[in-house]
Amino acid sequence: MVDAHLCSGCGACAYLEPDSLTMVDVPEFGRRPLPIVSINGGSETGGANGPGIGVCPGAGLSHEKDALKDAPFGGEWGPILELYECWSTDPDVRHRGSSGGVISALSAHAVASGSAVGALQVQARKDAPLQNETVLNRTYTDIVGAAGSRYAPASPCERLDLVEQAEGECVVVGKPCDVAATVGAAKARPELGRKIGLTIGIFCAGTPSSRGTEEVVRRLGEDPADVERVDYRGEGWPGRFRIKTTTGVAKSFSYEESWGETLQKHRQWRCMICPDHTGEFADLSVGDPWYRKLKEGEPGRSLVVVRTEAGRKALHAALADRALEGHPIPLERLPQSQPNLASTRGAVWARVLTMRLAGLPAPTFSGLPSFRSWLRLRPRVKLSSMGGTLKRIKRRGLRDPESRSYPNRTAFEEVP
């Protein structure tokens, strides 16, 4: 999966095969399970045919039969029971969060109410602030302390062992691919399944490599090695990209300057062929409500998509206990809020088809309708979705094994 450029870096394989695989940050690409296993050449680790492949979201995504029965929008936005617009009642959490602090508030409420013993979250590494680490936070302070988007590689599924070994149910927070892998791993490991009380998916347009963050820092005129703190959003909505150096220098870019001009250009290939950007496999999924123009200084709000009964119970409990404020909104607000994701899903159908026609390995998606989305695209966009893929195949070197491009490849071939 790695050498086919299909790895999302979720870390589920490393959780299921800890004696064989270790997640490592490859700065130019993302988090990867190493050592790279040769399918044709064989391997002592056996990783090529191990349990990690069975839950790998890079290999494919599939909804269970009838999961989309009677789903709104023909199932193109996944299962939807309700749609809310919410925000944290804690003003500090709301201000710090990327769009209202809802994920932090939901996670903290689950622990405070006793329905969970911890929340598996991603946060900045204390010893390397441009990178991420996965932790099981167990207190309100620690959970809300991890608030804020992290537009950098993360492998939350790598530490699903923390959930499996916990003394009670836990909340798991992750990108759509992370949640899909978590659901698959829970089926493979029943003990893990018994410990997952709630999954929260984060709307995602793709994961930039570590080089993306380094480039933004350099554009601000600073050396990445001198940065002691980086925030991608928050402290207002949508928030600014902010850094603080070891010498106390503070600089920032707007969201458009950081994400729009730099970070999105460093997204890994697997993100470009993903149909699930809104966490369809989660109990609850959360994203920005871009259906209207924001007022200057407006406090953050989030869309909350209720996808399962477990998600409905958790959201309603948080609202009843005043951990959140909010209200239901028309389902049409979902596609109105994320028009780019709707068009991207259509383009993905053509990109995957083009990969297969070009003889490249491609993921298999079942029960994630995309063809109708492609039909609605303008003719020029339809052609671009295929022609652009052919150009990317050449420009990104998708016919060559990804690991062949790793700098200092020898070091990456050994488990650290």
Side-chain angles (χ1 to χ4, degrees):
M1 300 312 299
V2 173
D3 270 348
H5 302 265
L6 298 181
C7 179
S8 70
C10 70
C13 57
Y15 157 68
L16 291 169
E17 304 178 53
D19 296 331
S20 302
L21 301 170
T22 299
M23 298 302 296
V24 175
D25 185 69
V26 182
E28 289 77 10
F29 291 89
R31 298 277 293 175
R32 295 292 182 263
L34 300 174
I36 300 299
V37 177
S38 172
I39 295 178
N40 295 325
S43 167
E44 293 181 0
T45 69
N49 298 304
I53 289 292
V55 305
C56 176
L61 298 170
S62 177
H63 278 298
E64 293 185 359
K65 184 180 179 181
D66 296 330
L68 300 181
K69 184 179 180 181
D70 300 325
F73 312 111
E76 293 178 27
W77 292 86
I80 303 174
L81 301 182
E82 295 178 295
L83 183 66
Y84 274 72
E85 190 166 336
C86 297
W87 54 93
S88 172
T89 54
D90 184 327
D92 291 333
V93 175
R94 185 178 187 182
H95 181 67
R96 182 172 180 176
S98 295
S99 56
V102 168
I103 292 177
S104 299
L106 281 166
S107 301
H109 174 264
V111 173
S113 67
S115 63
V117 299
L120 193 74
Q121 298 174 286
V122 167
Q123 62 187 32
R125 277 179 53 179
K126 292 180 175 60
D127 61 334
L130 271 65
Q131 297 186 31
N132 294 318
E133 64 178 353
T134 303
V135 295
L136 184 67
N137 284 322
R138 294 171 174 269
T139 68
Y140 184 95
T141 300
D142 288 341
I143 290 172
V144 301
S149 298
R150 297 293 302 172
Y151 293 158
S155 303
C157 296
E158 177 187 18
R159 297 315 314 271
L160 285 172
D161 62 298
L162 297 174
V163 175
E164 185 175 0
Q165 296 164 12
E167 65 276 15
E169 292 186 353
C170 298
V171 178
V172 176
V173 180
K175 303 181 301 299
C177 57
D178 303 327
V179 174
T182 297
V183 172
K187 294 177 181 177
R189 297 279 282 269
E191 182 58 27
L192 172 66
R194 286 189 284 271
K195 297 295 180 63
I196 297 176
L198 181 71
T199 56
I200 303 177
I202 307 167
F203 284 22
C204 177
T207 300
S209 68
S210 297
R211 286 287 184 259
T213 300
E214 292 174 1
E215 183 177 330
V216 179
V217 172
R218 290 192 178 96
R219 285 183 57 209
L220 286 168
E222 301 296 330
D223 186 337
D226 295 333
V227 173
E228 70 173 15
R229 181 182 177 90
V230 57
D231 294 286
Y232 293 83
R233 289 180 60 184
E235 295 194 5
W237 186 31
R240 297 177 65 85
F241 178 95
R242 306 179 305 282
I243 63 169
K244 182 180 180 182
T245 70
T246 53
T247 58
V249 174
K251 294 183 178 180
S252 70
F253 268 145
S254 68
Y255 177 63
E256 176 56 34
E257 288 172 316
S258 59
W259 171 260
E261 296 179 6
T262 301
L263 289 172
Q264 68 168 336
K265 298 177 183 178
H266 289 267
R267 288 174 294 174
Q268 57 190 0
W269 173 245
R270 178 60 181 80
C271 298
M272 307 295 288
I273 52 172
C274 180
D276 178 17
H277 295 278
T278 61
E280 295 184 20
F281 296 87
D283 294 311
L284 295 170
S285 52
V286 181
D288 288 283
W290 298 129
Y291 65 85
R292 56 187 172 79
K293 187 175 181 179
L294 302 187
K295 299 177 182 178
E296 184 69 27
E298 183 176 349
R301 295 180 173 222
S302 289
L303 285 180
V304 182
V305 186
V306 179
R307 300 195 181 278
T308 69
E309 290 300 334
R312 188 186 337 239
K313 180 179 178 181
L315 176 63
H316 288 192
L319 289 167
D321 292 342
R322 302 285 297 166
L324 291 177
E325 286 188 10
H327 50 82
I329 59 176
L331 298 184
E332 289 73 20
R333 292 287 185 257
L334 177 55
Q336 291 169 0
S337 294
Q338 303 289 334
N340 291 336
L341 297 187
S343 59
T344 295
R345 183 156 183 161
V348 163
W349 179 86
R351 290 170 188 166
V352 172
L353 174 62
T354 303
M355 290 178 68
R356 292 199 176 102
L357 293 175
L360 294 176
T364 300
F365 302 125
S366 176
L368 288 92
S370 301
F371 179 63
R372 293 193 302 270
S373 298
W374 182 77
L375 287 176
R376 288 194 295 269
L377 296 177
R378 299 190 305 274
R380 183 176 179 179
V381 178
K382 288 180 181 177
L383 291 174
S384 177
S385 64
M386 303 187 77
T389 301
L390 292 173
K391 293 179 181 178
R392 290 188 179 100
I393 289 173
K394 182 177 181 180
R395 186 171 66 248
R396 287 177 173 258
L398 299 184
R399 294 190 182 280
D400 298 322
E402 180 187 292
S403 62
R404 187 178 295 174
S405 301
Y406 291 177
N408 194 16
R409 178 187 163 98
T410 301
F412 283 123
E413 289 178 337
E414 299 179 0
V415 175

